[in-house]
Amino acid sequence: MVTFPMKDNNILTLILVLGIPILFLYPGSIDNYIMYFSYVLLTLLLWCATTDRDKILIETRLDMNKVNVFLIIILLMMIFIFSTFSVLIPNGHIGVLIPIALIMVTFIPGYSVLLASGFRNRSTLIDIIALSYPVSIVIMAIVGIIMAYIPLNMKKVLIIALDILLLLIALFKITSGTRSSEKKRLIITYKHIVLAMIFIVLGFTYIRLYPALSYNLSLDIDRHYSYSLNYAIKGYTLNKFLPSTYPLFYTFISNFHSLVKLTVDVYTTTTVYLNMLTVLMFYVLASSLYGKSDYRAVVATLLWVFYPTLTWLYALETQSSGFQSSIQLLDKVNDYSFGDISWRRLLFFLPMEVAMTLTFAVIYLLTKKDINNTPLLLSLIHIS
């Protein structure tokens, strides 16, 4: 049975933290009540993570070679499904192919390279999953440049072939090594449940915002969509590399367009979930800095994801100086928040989120002194 450890002198604090938001619930939409329930659950779990940090909820041991072989087989099956439907219905729109295509671009290349390089022997499964995303960004950005002059219909075949080749190389590396691998300890504590809750709240937020947010013409998501689609279709122009400030972002995401036909609403609704991998990369970085068993990693992740900058203090000071318009106040304060007030991070899939992911990966690799990360580190630095 799960218990919530509390000291008597802390019960009042918990009551205030959970009780004060109730004052702002009524009247309100169903979303307010759902978010409040999430807030209560997250608070209780965070309380447990900080007060009973050594509590182990689940503990087991896994043969990571078998786990990775199983994942490779699943990924190969997904590619087979994607290839089969792409041949049978070349011009059709099949919803299940879109997430598969996204996995083929943003996960499979990096995951395969990390497994084949031996990185798996010194890292946990969650580290490999998190790092697979930024490594895939680097690989597919380079692939996008190389395939600039290749026709669109051939790009799909080459991306499929590349993913299959990388997965087979990783499978060969795993199966040709030591037959009996040491089983790694897998434990789940309150901090992992808190991390799961963070993803649940983010997922609920994305479900409520999209696809409606895709039709907001004041956002520049449409521009990123059109530039990456244009590059997937036309490749290089005669006079310049790419008509944008973020050329490698477009070469990376153009591979997604090469695999499936995407409307702007489908593109934005699908890619926004990649921000969850950015959050996971941040958590892995924090765990590397604080230590795997330290609860402060998940607290840092929680603060980074949900809490804005401290410019609200500047807003209070500015308001007392005689600002008449709340719009003017927000506009002025927004400049000091680096757009964090008006342009909330992680709510859109933009070059900023990709750059943050690469930055977190670079810092993470710098902390791993026992691994020779020089080639990977240099690649991430150049791309970011």
Side-chain angles (χ1 to χ4, degrees), residues 79 83 104 155-168:
I79 295 176
S83 304
M104 291 172 63
K155 289 181 180 180
K156 178 187 292 189
V157 176
L158 292 176
I159 293 172
I160 293 173
L162 174 64
D163 279 354
I164 293 175
L165 177 63
L166 290 176
L167 285 172
L168 291 178

Side-chain angles (χ1 to χ4, degrees), residues 35-134:
M35 293 303 289
Y36 176 72
F37 173 77
S38 302
Y39 165 76
V40 170
L41 187 56
L42 195 57
T43 302
L44 292 175
L45 290 170
L46 188 61
W47 189 285
C48 294
T50 54
T51 57
D52 198 13
R53 63 194 69 170
D54 297 325
K55 176 77 172 180
I56 296 177
L57 302 178
I58 299 175
E59 181 176 7
T60 186
R61 289 188 175 274
L62 295 176
D63 187 330
M64 294 313 299
N65 278 357
K66 292 182 179 179
V67 171
N68 287 316
V69 168
F70 175 75
L71 290 177
I72 289 175
I73 293 174
I74 294 296
L75 293 172
L76 286 172
M77 291 174 61
M78 292 172 63
I79 295 176
F80 174 76
I81 293 172
F82 179 86
S83 304
T84 302
F85 279 101
S86 296
V87 171
L88 295 178
I89 315 175
N91 297 318
H93 297 277
I94 305 176
V96 71
L97 298 186
I98 295 174
I100 294 178
L102 194 64
I103 292 172
M104 291 172 63
V105 172
T106 62
F107 180 76
I108 290 179
Y111 179 69
S112 304
V113 169
L114 290 173
L115 292 184
S117 65
F119 188 84
R120 69 184 188 279
N121 298 325
R122 301 177 181 88
S123 300
T124 63
L125 180 61
I126 191 172
D127 291 359
I128 294 175
I129 291 175
L131 200 60
S132 295
Y133 178 41

Side-chain angles (χ1 to χ4, degrees), residues 123 179 181 208 292 318 327 335 350 352 383:
S123 300
R179 293 295 178 183
S181 64
R208 299 302 296 171
K292 297 292 183 184
T318 306
I327 300 298
D335 294 337
L350 300 170
M352 178 178 69
I383 295 295

Side-chain angles (χ1 to χ4, degrees), residues 3-18 39-55 190-191 194 295 298-299 302:
T3 59
F4 296 100
M6 306 179 194
K7 296 181 180 179
D8 292 338
N9 59 345
N10 289 331
I11 294 179
L12 179 60
T13 303
L14 185 62
I15 292 174
L16 290 174
V17 169
L18 297 180
Y39 165 76
V40 170
L41 187 56
L42 195 57
T43 302
L44 292 175
L45 290 170
L46 188 61
W47 189 285
C48 294
T50 54
T51 57
D52 198 13
R53 63 194 69 170
D54 297 325
K55 176 77 172 180
Y190 282 119
K191 69 174 185 177
V194 172
Y295 72 93
V298 75
V299 174
L302 180 68

Side-chain angles (χ1 to χ4, degrees), residues 106 133 210 221 224 249 252-253 267-268 271-275 346-354:
T106 62
Y133 178 41
Y210 289 88
I221 303 176
H224 298 312
F249 172 79
F252 155 62
I253 208 65
Y267 165 80
T268 54
T271 54
V272 72
Y273 288 92
L274 292 175
N275 293 337
L346 301 178
L347 294 188
F348 316 93
F349 178 70
L350 300 170
M352 178 178 69
E353 278 73 18
V354 172

